[in-house]
Amino acid sequence: MINNNIDITLGQPYFYIKKGDLSEFTNLLWDLKRVNEQWIARLVRGTKCTTTKNLFNEFSAVFQFPWYFGENWNAFDECINDLSWLNAESYVLFISNSEALLELNMESLVTFLNIMKNTIMEWEQGRDFGAMKTSPIPFKIIFHSTEGNAQKVINKFQELGIDLVII
């Protein structure tokens, strides 16, 4: 059963953290997928995102970015804010072992988190690109961390402007 503390509707909160067992975290993802087939829930392995290049590779594989993905921050921003190939009522990004993200150099971590904040706002507000308009769509991120590392993740993310709701 899906945890009722996760609000998959428009508006805050946008960022969550689940402390503890990785198995429970992935079960949460599978439970969410069973609730509504129109919700796209994807798992990014934080342990595969310890460098910028590896982060691009992991996200590209998980979200099936187009062949022309340029493997740079501008291209990442463009692709994560498009996702036209994934028709969804909501997007929920699960990032396991998020403490591994802290291995990114500080500039990359800040850039990644800023892109994710902006991505959430763009999806949540809808987009108007002249000929292309989109309706608002919820976009949530659920981070996972081991019990022993969770507070370190919470503190670092908070320092960088991301408040995590513990579930």
Side-chain angles (χ1 to χ4, degrees):
M1 172 167 233
I2 187 82
N3 184 319
N4 290 330
N5 292 329
I6 301 172
D7 186 4
I8 312 298
T9 59
L10 290 171
Q12 291 188 23
Y14 305 119
F15 299 98
Y16 298 87
I17 188 166
K18 174 99 172 128
K19 299 189 269 185
D21 184 64
L22 185 56
S23 178
E24 290 176 16
F25 181 70
T26 54
N27 286 341
L28 183 63
L29 177 137
W30 297 120
D31 288 348
L32 184 75
K33 283 185 167 193
R34 282 191 282 275
V35 170
N36 186 330
E37 291 180 8
Q38 290 302 307
W39 291 350
I40 300 292
R42 295 291 165 92
L43 175 67
V44 167
R45 298 167 295 175
T47 55
K48 300 288 186 180
C49 298
T50 57
T51 67
T52 303
K53 180 181 180 190
N54 290 346
L55 182 142
F56 292 151
N57 288 338
E58 179 71 359
F59 271 82
S60 179
V62 167
F63 284 99
Q64 293 296 289
F65 286 173
W67 62 268
Y68 55 81
F69 170 56
E71 297 187 22
N72 59 62
W73 287 118
N74 289 335
F76 178 80
D77 186 31
E78 182 181 320
C79 286
I80 201 72
N81 282 293
D82 181 350
L83 302 179
S84 58
W85 53 94
L86 300 174
N87 188 20
E89 291 177 4
S90 297
Y91 294 98
V92 185
L93 169 58
F94 286 73
I95 301 179
S96 66
N97 300 104
S98 59
E99 61 272 8
L101 293 173
L102 302 180
E103 294 180 33
L104 286 167
N105 69 54
M106 187 54 65
E107 181 181 348
S108 292
L109 179 60
V110 168
T111 301
F112 170 71
L113 291 175
N114 284 335
I115 287 173
M116 297 318 298
K117 282 192 291 191
N118 293 335
T119 294
I120 288 169
M121 299 319 308
E122 190 168 323
W123 281 106
E124 292 259 331
Q125 293 170 1
R127 295 166 290 159
D128 185 353
F129 298 118
M132 184 181 101
K133 295 181 182 182
T134 63
S135 299
I137 296 175
F139 193 115
K140 309 294 179 174
I141 302 176
I142 305 172
F143 295 94
H144 160 263
S145 184
T146 60
E147 195 72 45
N149 289 314
Q151 196 57 52
K152 181 168 56 171
V153 172
I154 292 167
N155 292 345
K156 178 52 82 175
F157 281 30
Q158 189 171 37
E159 177 186 316
L160 298 174
I162 303 287
D163 290 321
L164 297 171
V165 174
I166 299 169
I167 54 172

